[in-house]
Amino acid sequence: MIGGLFIYNHKGEVLISRVYRDDIGRNAVDAFRVNVIHARQQVRSPVTNIARTSFFHVKRSNIWLAAVTKQNVNAAMVFEFLYKMCDVMAAYFGKISEENIKNNFVLIYELLDEILDFGYPQNSETGALKTFITQQGIKSQHQTKEEQSQITSQVTGQIGWRREGIKYRRNELFLDVLESVNLLMSPQGQVLSAHVSGRVVMKSYLSGMPECKFGMNDKIVIEKQGKGTADETSKRRPSAPAHSGKQSIAIDDCTFHQCVRLSKFDSERSISFIPPDGEFELMRYRTTKDIILPFRVIPLVREVGRTKLEVKVVIKSNFKPSLLAQKIEVRIPTPLNTSGVQVICMKGKAKYKASENAIVWKIKRMAGMKESQISAEIELLPTNDKKKWARPPISMNFEVPFAPSGLKVRYLKVFEPKLNYSDHDVIKWVRYIGRSGIYETRC
Amino acid sequence: MPAVSKGDGMRGLAVFISDIRNCKSKEAEIKRINKELANIRSKFKGDKALDGYSKKKYVCKLLFIFLLGHDIDFGHMEAVNLLSSNRYTEKQIGYLFISVLVNSNSELIRLINNAIKNDLASRNPTFMGLALHCIANVGSREMAEAFAGEIPKILVAGDTMDSVKQSAALCLLRLYRTSPDLVPMGDWTSRVVHLLNDQHLGVVTAATSLITTLAQKNPEEFKTSVSLAVSRLSRIVTSASTDLQDYTYYFVPAPWLSVKLLRLLQCYPPPDPAVRGRLTECLETILNKAQEPPKSKKVQHSNAKNAVLFEAISLIIHHDSEPNLLVRACNQLGQFLQHRETNLRYLALESMCTLASSEFSHEAVKTHIETVINALKTERDVSVRQRAVDLLYAMCDRSNAQQIVAEMLSYLETADYSIREEIVLKVAILAEKYAVDYTWYVDTILNLIRIAGDYVSEEVWYRVIQIVINRDDVQGYAAKTVFEALQAPACHENLVKVGGYILGEFGNLIAGDPRSSPLIQFNLLHSKFHLCSVPTRALLLSTYIKFVNLFPEVKTTIQDVLRSDSQLKNADVELQQRAVEYLRLSTVASTDILATVLEEMPPFPERESSILAKLKKKKGPSTVTDLEEAKRERSADVNGGPEPAPASAASTPSPSADLLGLGAAPPAPAGPPPSSGGLLVDVFSDSPSAVAPLAPGSEDNFARFVCKNNGVLFENQLLQIGLKSEFRQNLGRMFIFYGNKTSTQFLNFTPTLICSDDLQTNLSLQTKPVDPTVDGGAQVQQVVNIECVSDFTEAPVLNIQFRYGGTFQNVSVKLPITLNKFFQPTEMASQDFFQRWKQLSSPQQEVQNIFKAKHPMDTEVTKAKIIGFGSALLEDVDPNPANFVGAGIIHTRTTQIGCLLRLEPNLQAQVRLLEERASYARAVFWLWCGMGPKWGRLRSSERCVPLCNLRCPADT
């Protein structure tokens, strides 16, 4: 149970302070500032224990959000709440910045009153909140007196995330599969660790109370269908191999939005739900097997005497030639005693950034099955301490238009028995985006 | 000194610093620094040489980055280059960088030392100053090694500038503090002393600091500084405030120098009369000045004035020789006791504490008792109150003990928790030490337990019981008082313990009163039983069994209680065992046996007060606020007299002081076996007292060595002295082993053998000095070669002085070198013996003594003792077989003395007659002394009749 919640700016000044329980005193505010924000050594752990009080913090640009408690709480729950809180704030007033927080502090206190009660998280669904917490610009466009009176019964009802009587002229939905791929590779090209964490985000503009069913190439489902209803699979089979070589993926773990009926997932492994109106995150998942690594980095570092270092890095794209990767950035760390750098690259632009102690190589676009190379000469200043350079890994950023985990959306069916539109009338959009998470290669 | 002009400022540096200050976040700052570092690296790497200005600028930036907390691993070379520049600003930055950043094991140290050497050799005072500051700032051992020899030369050279001398003195002081062994003492020391006469007051101030530190280590070498310091001080004190110009601080002439001079004088004992007169004059002037109205309202003025005054008072206290000054100082402090300024009150109380221990000013301090008590009650600052408590403790004596104890008790109710335990201990000690009337003592301690029961340590209530048991006159009163105290609905557990014990012993004394009949007493105690902890319950069970003996009428009630399941089947094994054994004892044993087994406790042997030991321990070894300790330290040299005692034993001659020597540890009476008294004693030994008992007096140990050559001579918490000795004819050799029982080093460890003049001519002792430091847990050995020149009487005294954890320790023990060590046995026949015995019949040749034996006589033991004494045991010589007869020769360098002795025990009267005859009466007498204590104390012989008289001849 969260005892209190504080928001600080980068200087450690308190912008928002809300205490939910008596065991959290005023000094807790200062304790966090002194021990975390102004700590001499940068605090890396998101959980800090000071005098039997636990502080859970997340940072959004220059803003610190800290949840405080004296009890032994579920840390994952607290962080989940903090992220949700960020989402809610972003939905209300855009970017979380000091100025925005100062301008909206009344709203934030109002939100804090609503989404946390005596330290227990409550309904934090933006859509639902917007119906009754209205500030300035956010005036619900179609709120009659009648509807206002229904708010209480609706948000406390069984389907608290969606109100009744929504009507759209055009029923439309958007599905985004967003993945980030993480990798640590040895200099010889051996994968030391790799995983993909992905999210399925849905934006729905559907009338009434539609019942949706989401299907993807989950290994368990595919196998079950293969054994069970043979007729259904026989219909689908021909189309499946056309998408990719891989038919199904093994999902290590996943979480769902509260609208998904978990009982159905447990028994049939089918994902059925009544979606909230607007944008929401349908599910989150993680895979570790058979990951498609979009790029391969081949480093070559040679030390020439004490004062010179030669670096050569080759990157190879490893996906279909028809696809284009974007926003590619390779970051090659340089030793701390670098006194000068010369870079030559065939493609893109490369620059030595002294402030970050790294050579940054940027390529705008790159097609699949290509390779590119950079070579650099680094001059070093002899120093008097014998510490050897630790050689931090070379890291990479990119964006590719496919899901590195291999996930495919098979279907999303919409049923609304009360209104007269069918699954075929709904316009559906699916998009895959694969981004780099921590994508590193040792050198 | 050239100042940094505006135009010389470094723009790049200013821009960089303002950039850093404008950074919004830590990340931004790190980025900016990384960028700057890369820039500096590329600049330093660059092929073309940098000019002095940019070098200085970049080194400055590096320094700034370092001070922000980032690691700097380059730029040292550039900084060293700056040292050889001829510009002041560049040199200064170079030195700054080096004193901040260069670590001692760097390879550059040689280059740096070289640069410093050049600067020291230059005649430019500014550069010399920079170099000296750098040495002092780094202050490492390496620096000391390189320059410790050089700096004294600069310091005493005639042509050195004043400012350089000043720096050199302080630099040398710094090096001396870090590595005293590397600073060579030499002829420069005498010339340094003369710096006290220097024209320039700055030089004098710096030199005084240096001399004070040096004088603390080598007082002899700097003895001459005393008279110089006194004359300098008197010149300052008597000067008009305008004379010293720059060195007058808010109308006070050279306060810092005065304070330092006064400190220096505190390193030495009072000087010889001529100088002393002048010093006394100075001190009087300082005291007079304190009386004058302030010349300025500014706080700095009074601060400076008071600083000098307090230092003067410390000097007066240190000398402790001028009653007049001491009393004046005391009066002055008395004024401060009521000052507005809290700090002044604190300092006044603190100084008074030491004044109270001086015999001259003790009375004067006592006049301020009301003010101090008032301070205790009204003072807002807890540290001041603490001082007030200390002072009250120090000023307490027989005349005001009752008042002070009462005040402390009343204060205790509201005292801060942090000082409560200490106050409790102090009250307990004072109450005991100055108790005239023991009923008052009992009242006080019971009050103490009532008010602050939680802070009353075990030792305190042990003491009450020990005193009550040892004093017949208070037992009844104590029983009555505790009985009344126990009637309070809620009493502290400590009170229950005291009550249980005292009622168990002396409950019968109040049983006559129907209001405190045995049953009522029992019920009262038992009503507290269930609220108490296990040790207390165990004690109460012992009380119950004592009740069974005292009051047979409650026997059945008590047996019922003991029989109940909560006792017999108690989960605690100790309680269960007691219940079972007591129950059995009460049913099985007859009244007589019960009476014997459960007899009243025997009196406790007297030892050092455990409470005092506890207080000392609490204060820590370094604080010498304690009255006794301060006194003892001063009288340490006198301690080598005829009555050597271990330094930690209190030696106040007043009768009540004996009480202080009472049992530090639970006594172990040789009484009847396990039950009764023994068990009650067990209650004590359940929780052993915090401090190990002191070794028994060295006199006891000394006696043991009369017949023994090896063993432990002395032992206390710190030190153990062991002996191993061998004697042949008139020669002997003794190995003395000093064992450090602590884990800390003993410093300045110096054992000295002290012989009186008389003894020196008769006994020659040769020894080598031992190593002055004894490591924790280590043992050092010292060999003493002994030759007996002529017969002697006294024993030499071994005096050991050492420093342990800051306090000065002094131990004196008698070395067991007695005449009988040179005693060699001779065999002779009966006839021969009596013939000689008869020849030695003149009164000078005979000593006869009758004494009562302490222990039952055992023939074998007595025989062994006579042999151990050195003489031969002659069997079948005396016609009476019960008598013991011995003969031997004492070897000295000059002569040999024959000796005969007889011991005639009278078993019935346990009286023995010991007779000795020797050719020298003196020898006989001291032989006797050596032997005497072995058997018992000398008693007057009125009750004893000599049983038989024998004669004996001399041998040579």
Side-chain angles (χ1 to χ4, degrees):
Chain A
M1 309 333 94
I2 297 166
L5 203 137
F6 307 124
I7 301 179
Y8 301 84
N9 67 4
H10 72 279
K11 288 183 200 148
E13 291 163 349
V14 187
L15 304 177
I16 301 285
S17 146
R18 179 76 171 86
V19 175
Y20 293 95
R21 288 177 174 239
D22 293 340
D23 55 356
I24 301 300
R26 287 277 141 209
N27 51 353
V29 187
D30 301 320
F32 182 76
R33 178 185 31 241
V34 172
N35 290 294
V36 181
I37 301 180
H38 290 327
R40 188 124 187 84
Q41 227 81 48
Q42 201 186 347
V43 176
R44 300 186 71 182
S45 160
V47 184
T48 320
N49 244 299
I50 306 159
R52 294 168 165 275
T53 312
S54 308
F55 293 83
F56 305 80
H57 75 263
V58 296
K59 228 183 144 192
R60 282 282 179 275
S61 63
N62 274 336
I63 299 295
W64 300 73
L65 278 93
V68 195
T69 181
K70 284 223 167 185
Q71 281 156 318
N72 185 14
V73 296
N74 180 349
M77 182 274 280
V78 176
F79 283 112
E80 190 65 43
F81 170 78
L82 286 175
Y83 288 128
K84 200 77 206 173
M85 161 106 193
C86 292
D87 291 347
V88 170
M89 287 199 293
Y92 266 91
F93 50 76
K95 197 172 167 258
I96 299 178
S97 65
E98 184 176 348
E99 205 185 323
N100 273 346
I101 287 178
K102 278 181 176 165
N103 290 339
N104 291 294
F105 78 94
V106 181
L107 168 71
I108 294 173
Y109 278 116
E110 217 174 315
L111 283 171
L112 283 175
D113 276 345
E114 196 54 48
I115 59 179
L116 263 188
D117 187 13
F118 194 47
Y120 293 95
Q122 306 293 312
N123 189 352
S124 52
E125 196 53 52
T126 322
L129 286 171
K130 277 185 177 170
T131 58
F132 52 90
I133 298 179
T134 51
Q135 282 280 321
Q136 291 174 2
I138 302 145
K139 279 246 165 64
S140 212
Q141 52 276 66
H142 34 239
Q143 260 190 6
T144 59
K145 274 257 167 70
E146 248 171 84
E147 280 170 332
Q148 268 174 346
S149 63
Q150 285 172 354
I151 286 174
T152 318
S153 66
Q154 183 250 308
V155 292
T156 53
Q158 209 178 10
I159 304 166
W161 56 88
R162 189 180 180 95
R163 65 190 173 85
E164 282 185 58
I166 299 171
K167 273 222 169 65
Y168 286 102
R169 205 158 47 82
R170 210 160 93 130
N171 290 305
E172 202 172 11
L173 68 83
F174 301 86
L175 261 183
D176 282 350
V177 176
L178 307 171
E179 293 194 339
S180 75
V181 53
N182 300 284
L183 167 78
L184 182 63
M185 192 177 252
S186 77
Q188 288 75 35
Q190 194 185 355
V191 177
L192 301 172
S193 87
H195 74 269
V196 171
S197 58
R199 311 187 294 146
V200 178
V201 178
M202 184 171 165
K203 208 187 248 175
S204 69
Y205 302 105
L206 301 169
S207 315
M209 288 295 235
E211 178 79 41
C212 301
K213 205 172 170 191
F214 175 68
M216 56 178 179
N217 57 343
D218 182 3
K219 203 172 178 181
I220 300 172
V221 179
I222 300 279
E223 273 168 15
K224 208 158 84 180
Q225 284 172 342
K227 274 182 244 158
T229 50
D231 53 331
E232 213 178 310
T233 39
S234 59
K235 277 182 209 159
R236 264 172 230 287
R237 267 270 163 80
S239 62
H243 285 286
S244 76
K246 215 165 47 153
Q247 290 187 2
S248 59
I249 60 160
I251 288 175
D252 286 21
D253 41 43
C254 54
T255 55
F256 294 102
H257 188 265
Q258 58 168 337
C259 63
V260 175
R261 293 194 184 84
L262 289 178
S263 55
K264 267 219 166 135
F265 180 74
D266 287 341
S267 58
E268 301 165 28
R269 225 174 153 87
S270 73
I271 303 162
S272 67
F273 55 96
I274 295 172
D277 197 32
E279 190 174 332
F280 73 103
E281 187 185 283
L282 177 64
M283 73 177 286
R284 246 185 267 171
Y285 59 90
R286 203 172 70 92
T287 69
T288 48
K289 285 205 187 70
D290 302 325
I291 292 165
I292 306 157
L293 296 172
F295 284 95
R296 168 89 205 277
V297 178
I298 304 157
L300 219 127
V301 179
R302 205 159 66 90
E303 283 177 47
V304 188
R306 274 191 69 198
T307 59
K308 209 168 171 187
L309 204 65
E310 282 180 3
V311 183
K312 204 169 114 182
V313 176
V314 180
I315 57 168
K316 283 182 178 169
S317 56
N318 182 28
F319 45 88
K320 274 192 280 186
S322 57
L323 297 174
L324 269 182
Q326 284 183 312
K327 299 178 192 167
I328 301 153
E329 186 185 292
V330 182
R331 183 175 289 263
I332 306 161
T334 54
L336 291 175
N337 54 346
T338 305
S339 60
V341 178
Q342 273 91 47
V343 213
I344 306 160
C345 60
M346 284 141 52
K347 217 177 163 197
K349 279 178 190 164
K351 206 177 164 190
Y352 167 58
K353 285 203 173 169
S355 58
E356 289 155 41
N357 282 321
I359 298 168
V360 179
W361 177 26
K362 284 181 176 166
I363 303 169
K364 280 209 179 98
R365 247 174 252 101
M366 190 167 173
M369 298 320 228
K370 289 263 169 62
E371 78 172 60
S372 190
Q373 178 183 320
I374 183 174
S375 57
E377 248 176 50
I378 301 172
E379 278 180 80
L380 303 176
L381 188 77
T383 60
N384 34 1
D385 50 333
K386 308 283 182 287
K387 262 188 288 173
K388 244 198 132 200
W389 182 45
R391 287 202 183 187
I394 295 170
S395 61
M396 218 186 146
N397 289 318
F398 54 80
E399 205 178 290
V400 287
F402 61 92
S405 68
L407 181 130
K408 290 275 182 290
V409 176
R410 285 170 58 214
Y411 55 84
L412 197 134
K413 294 175 195 159
V414 182
F415 312 99
E416 172 47 286
K418 284 184 192 156
L419 294 175
N420 56 349
Y421 69 93
S422 70
D423 186 30
H424 303 292
D425 302 330
V426 179
I427 306 158
K428 300 169 188 169
W429 304 88
V430 181
R431 178 165 69 156
Y432 298 93
I433 300 172
R435 291 201 181 94
S436 58
I438 297 165
Y439 200 86
E440 292 179 336
T441 308
R442 290 192 180 152
C443 59
Chain B
M1 202 177 281
V4 181
S5 65
K6 269 250 161 83
D8 205 26
M10 291 162 280
R11 223 182 89 77
L13 179 67
V15 168
F16 174 60
I17 292 176
S18 77
D19 274 2
I20 294 278
R21 294 208 171 132
N22 289 334
C23 280
K24 280 256 162 77
S25 66
K26 203 162 195 162
E27 291 74 27
E29 184 185 309
I30 290 171
K31 275 189 178 168
R32 179 70 184 88
I33 284 169
N34 279 338
K35 195 174 152 198
E36 194 59 47
L37 283 176
N39 175 35
I40 298 172
R41 278 195 299 261
S42 66
K43 282 286 186 326
F44 283 171
K45 175 83 181 180
D47 299 326
K48 60 171 187 191
L50 289 171
D51 59 344
Y53 168 78
S54 18
K55 230 184 250 175
K56 178 181 78 175
K57 185 176 75 186
Y58 293 129
V59 167
C60 261
K61 282 183 180 175
L62 284 179
L63 196 55
F64 183 74
I65 293 170
F66 177 76
L67 295 179
L68 284 176
H70 301 267
D71 279 341
I72 295 295
D73 52 5
F74 65 99
H76 301 75
M77 198 59 217
E78 283 71 17
V80 173
N81 286 343
L82 281 178
L83 292 186
S84 49
S85 159
N86 271 330
R87 286 181 164 217
Y88 169 75
T89 50
E90 287 166 23
K91 217 184 241 305
Q92 182 200 28
I93 295 295
Y95 272 123
L96 186 60
F97 186 88
I98 279 160
S99 26
V100 174
L101 256 156
V102 169
N103 50 357
S104 49
N105 51 9
S106 151
E107 302 149 8
L108 292 170
I109 208 86
R110 224 164 34 86
L111 287 172
I112 295 168
N113 282 355
N114 209 16
I116 292 177
K117 244 179 210 138
N118 286 340
D119 277 343
L120 285 182
S122 77
R123 308 310 301 160
N124 185 334
T126 324
F127 291 175
M128 289 173 87
L130 278 177
L132 286 168
H133 293 172
C134 179
I135 297 172
N137 277 334
V138 176
S140 64
R141 237 189 125 68
E142 288 69 24
M143 282 286 179
E145 265 164 13
F147 299 106
E150 196 117 340
I151 296 168
K153 283 179 210 152
I154 297 174
L155 181 56
V156 296
D159 56 347
T160 315
M161 297 271 291
D162 286 339
S163 62
V164 177
K165 268 190 199 168
Q166 216 170 326
S167 301
L170 293 176
C171 181
L172 190 59
L173 175 61
R174 164 84 165 118
L175 293 185
Y176 185 76
R177 280 187 183 146
T178 42
S179 28
D181 50 315
L182 289 180
V183 178
M185 290 294 144
D187 50 352
W188 60 272
T189 49
S190 56
R191 297 177 67 183
V192 164
V193 172
H194 286 281
L195 285 180
L196 287 177
N197 267 338
D198 201 283
Q199 293 284 317
H200 193 265
L201 273 190
V203 175
V204 184
T205 314
T208 314
S209 298
L210 176 65
I211 292 169
T212 309
T213 312
L214 293 173
Q216 277 161 356
K217 282 274 166 62
N218 328 291
E220 278 308 307
E221 289 204 50
F222 294 91
K223 227 172 187 169
T224 44
S225 64
V226 173
S227 58
L228 288 176
V230 170
S231 64
R232 179 49 97 170
L233 184 65
S234 91
R235 260 181 287 162
I236 294 170
V237 168
T238 52
S239 70
S241 58
T242 48
D243 285 1
L244 301 167
Q245 289 170 355
D246 284 355
Y247 288 87
T248 302
Y249 179 80
Y250 288 88
F251 306 105
V252 183
W256 280 275
L257 180 54
S258 315
V259 165
K260 283 183 175 171
L261 288 169
L262 288 165
R263 281 255 165 91
L264 172 61
L265 290 173
Q266 283 175 44
C267 302
Y268 291 97
D272 48 60
V275 185
R276 187 195 286 196
R278 204 162 171 201
L279 178 60
T280 312
E281 225 167 79
C282 285
L283 293 171
E284 268 169 356
T285 321
I286 293 172
L287 287 172
N288 285 340
K289 275 192 180 169
Q291 293 296 337
E292 286 169 16
K295 288 188 182 124
S296 158
K297 285 229 169 76
K298 289 260 173 62
V299 67
Q300 290 94 331
H301 172 68
S302 58
N303 276 351
K305 210 164 85 170
N306 291 334
V308 177
L309 177 63
F310 272 108
E311 210 51 53
I313 290 174
S314 323
L315 181 64
I316 293 169
I317 296 170
H318 171 78
H319 283 172
D320 197 14
S321 57
E322 301 277 341
N324 178 29
L325 282 177
L326 280 163
V327 170
R328 282 197 64 186
C330 182
N331 292 340
Q332 184 61 49
L333 291 176
Q335 290 179 7
F336 285 147
L337 284 183
Q338 282 155 317
H339 204 274
R340 276 184 300 118
E341 190 73 13
T342 313
N343 290 336
L344 271 184
R345 291 197 300 269
Y346 180 93
L347 287 170
L349 287 169
E350 200 181 28
S351 306
M352 266 209 179
C353 239
T354 32
L355 270 180
S357 60
S358 164
E359 51 180 320
F360 301 116
S361 53
H362 188 71
E363 287 305 314
V365 172
K366 270 165 65 184
T367 56
H368 300 291
I369 183 163
E370 290 301 333
T371 326
V372 180
I373 288 171
N374 205 29
L376 187 64
K377 283 177 181 160
T378 56
E379 191 58 59
R380 256 187 287 142
D381 190 319
V382 62
S383 59
V384 182
R385 287 199 296 268
Q386 162 91 55
R387 290 290 140 238
V389 173
D390 286 348
L391 179 54
L392 280 181
Y393 178 70
M395 66 161 63
C396 190
D397 63 11
R398 197 167 296 278
S399 64
N400 54 15
Q402 298 228 0
Q403 186 194 3
I404 287 179
V405 168
E407 290 297 346
M408 279 170 115
L409 266 181
S410 70
Y411 169 62
L412 191 55
E413 292 188 60
T414 53
D416 302 81
Y417 294 103
S418 51
I419 57 173
R420 274 197 185 180
E421 191 182 353
E422 204 181 313
I423 297 182
V424 167
L425 286 174
K426 282 183 168 157
V427 168
I429 290 168
L430 291 179
E432 179 185 324
K433 197 166 163 188
Y434 299 114
V436 192
D437 175 9
Y438 277 91
T439 57
W440 173 74
Y441 171 73
V442 171
D443 281 342
T444 307
I445 300 293
L446 287 182
N447 246 336
L448 194 64
I449 294 174
R450 187 179 55 77
I451 294 169
D454 289 335
Y455 298 90
V456 173
S457 55
E458 300 279 280
E459 288 84 357
V460 173
W461 74 263
Y462 288 176
R463 288 296 293 158
V464 193
I465 285 170
Q466 284 169 9
I467 286 172
V468 169
I469 285 182
N470 288 9
R471 300 253 151 196
D472 302 342
D473 43 336
V474 285
Q475 288 164 355
Y477 179 77
K480 187 159 159 281
T481 325
V482 292
F483 178 75
E484 278 161 11
L486 279 174
Q487 274 168 330
C491 31
H492 194 270
E493 191 163 332
N494 279 338
L495 185 63
V496 179
K497 287 180 187 166
V498 177
Y501 199 99
I502 288 182
L503 289 182
E505 293 292 322
F506 310 113
N508 55 336
L509 299 178
I510 55 166
D513 191 328
R515 281 169 299 173
S516 55
S517 73
L519 195 61
I520 295 178
Q521 282 187 33
F522 172 74
N523 285 338
L524 181 62
L525 280 180
H526 199 59
S527 68
K528 317 279 182 203
F529 186 87
H530 300 282
L531 305 170
C532 295
S533 63
V534 169
T536 313
R537 287 194 204 183
L539 187 145
L540 284 179
L541 285 181
S542 299
T543 305
Y544 296 168
I545 192 68
K546 288 229 158 190
F547 274 171
V548 170
N549 174 37
L550 291 179
F551 319 118
E553 61 264 40
V554 294
K555 186 173 175 177
T556 47
T557 326
I558 288 172
Q559 280 176 337
D560 285 346
V561 168
L562 290 177
R563 202 176 286 126
S564 70
D565 277 357
S566 60
Q567 310 301 349
L568 275 190
K569 295 185 181 168
N570 197 300
D572 187 87
V573 79
E574 174 73 25
L575 291 183
Q576 199 185 58
Q577 187 178 1
R578 283 188 192 221
V580 171
E581 285 179 3
Y582 290 160
L583 182 61
R584 202 74 197 126
L585 183 69
S586 66
T587 41
V588 172
S590 70
T591 336
D592 287 348
I593 294 177
L594 268 184
T596 326
V597 170
L598 303 171
E599 204 184 8
E600 195 178 297
M601 290 290 287
F604 288 88
E606 315 236 326
R607 294 216 193 90
E608 194 206 6
S609 166
S610 52
I611 315 180
L612 204 55
K614 171 137 184 180
L615 185 68
K616 275 183 201 156
K617 201 177 161 196
K618 204 169 149 54
K619 289 246 164 173
S622 53
T623 45
V624 199
T625 48
D626 197 14
L627 179 74
E628 262 96 346
E629 242 168 320
K631 273 186 183 161
R632 202 172 309 120
E633 195 152 329
R634 218 157 292 154
S635 63
D637 293 335
V638 198
N639 218 358
E643 195 212 34
S648 42
S651 54
T652 330
S654 74
S656 66
D658 284 357
L659 278 170
L660 279 176
L662 272 180
S675 54
S676 104
L679 264 176
L680 277 176
V681 169
D682 287 346
V683 178
F684 280 108
S685 40
D686 276 346
S687 44
S689 61
V691 181
L694 269 175
S698 60
E699 199 66 60
D700 274 5
N701 271 356
F702 178 75
R704 280 205 285 126
F705 277 93
V706 171
C707 295
K708 242 171 68 172
N709 282 337
N710 305 331
V712 175
L713 177 65
F714 172 84
E715 184 163 10
N716 65 8
Q717 293 103 307
L718 307 176
L719 180 71
Q720 186 187 48
I721 305 176
L723 287 187
K724 212 170 153 183
S725 48
E726 52 195 32
F727 295 91
R728 184 171 302 149
Q729 306 246 332
N730 65 329
L731 297 176
R733 176 179 293 167
M734 182 176 269
F735 297 89
I736 310 177
F737 300 94
Y738 306 98
N740 180 351
K741 289 169 67 181
T742 65
S743 52
T744 339
Q745 260 194 352
F746 290 161
L747 297 173
N748 299 0
F749 186 85
T750 40
T752 33
L753 285 169
I754 302 167
C755 298
S756 63
D757 295 345
D758 197 19
L759 187 58
Q760 242 162 11
T761 53
N762 295 334
L763 187 70
S764 87
L765 297 173
Q766 283 169 342
T767 177
K768 277 191 191 133
V770 295
D771 191 24
T773 54
V774 182
D775 286 329
Q779 200 179 48
V780 287
Q781 178 190 337
Q782 191 179 28
V783 186
V784 188
N785 288 319
I786 309 159
E787 188 182 7
C788 177
V789 181
S790 172
D791 63 293
F792 60 96
T793 54
E794 298 159 71
V797 171
L798 175 66
N799 179 270
I800 299 143
Q801 301 186 334
F802 57 92
R803 217 159 248 292
Y804 163 67
T807 47
F808 182 74
Q809 306 278 343
N810 192 335
V811 174
S812 291
V813 281
K814 247 192 211 177
L815 264 194
I817 303 174
T818 47
L819 192 55
N820 72 311
K821 299 286 181 197
F822 309 97
F823 202 20
Q824 291 215 320
T826 41
E827 290 293 334
M828 59 178 77
S830 169
Q831 217 182 351
D832 214 5
F833 182 86
F834 285 111
Q835 194 194 347
R836 286 171 194 232
W837 182 270
K838 280 175 195 132
Q839 281 170 7
L840 296 166
S841 56
S842 78
Q844 293 111 17
Q845 288 175 313
E846 181 182 30
V847 173
Q848 185 170 353
N849 243 309
I850 300 161
F851 57 92
K852 194 167 177 203
K854 254 188 185 168
H855 307 291
M857 282 190 41
D858 181 329
T859 320
E860 286 310 312
V861 172
T862 314
K863 276 182 185 171
K865 281 177 179 171
I866 291 179
I867 293 169
F869 187 61
S871 69
L873 184 74
L874 305 180
E875 310 244 11
D876 306 324
V877 170
D878 203 298
N880 183 350
N883 291 352
F884 302 94
V885 173
I889 302 166
I890 296 171
H891 295 268
T892 68
R893 189 159 72 191
T894 48
T895 167
Q896 293 187 322
I897 308 163
C899 240
L900 305 175
L901 76 94
R902 293 185 69 208
L903 178 73
E904 296 167 11
N906 175 353
L907 290 175
Q908 273 80 36
Q910 290 207 331
V911 168
R912 305 184 205 188
L913 175 81
L914 185 79
E915 258 191 289
E916 279 188 81
R917 295 181 184 214
S919 29
Y920 270 136
R922 232 166 16 132
V924 169
F925 178 68
W926 287 112
L927 258 184
W928 161 243
C929 278
M931 191 161 186
K934 204 62 215 170
W935 279 285
R937 230 177 280 161
L938 285 173
R939 283 281 173 114
S940 73
S941 58
E942 51 204 348
R943 285 196 298 171
C944 321
V945 186
L947 299 173
C948 143
N949 211 354
L950 292 172
R951 307 270 119 139
C952 119
D955 199 48
T956 34

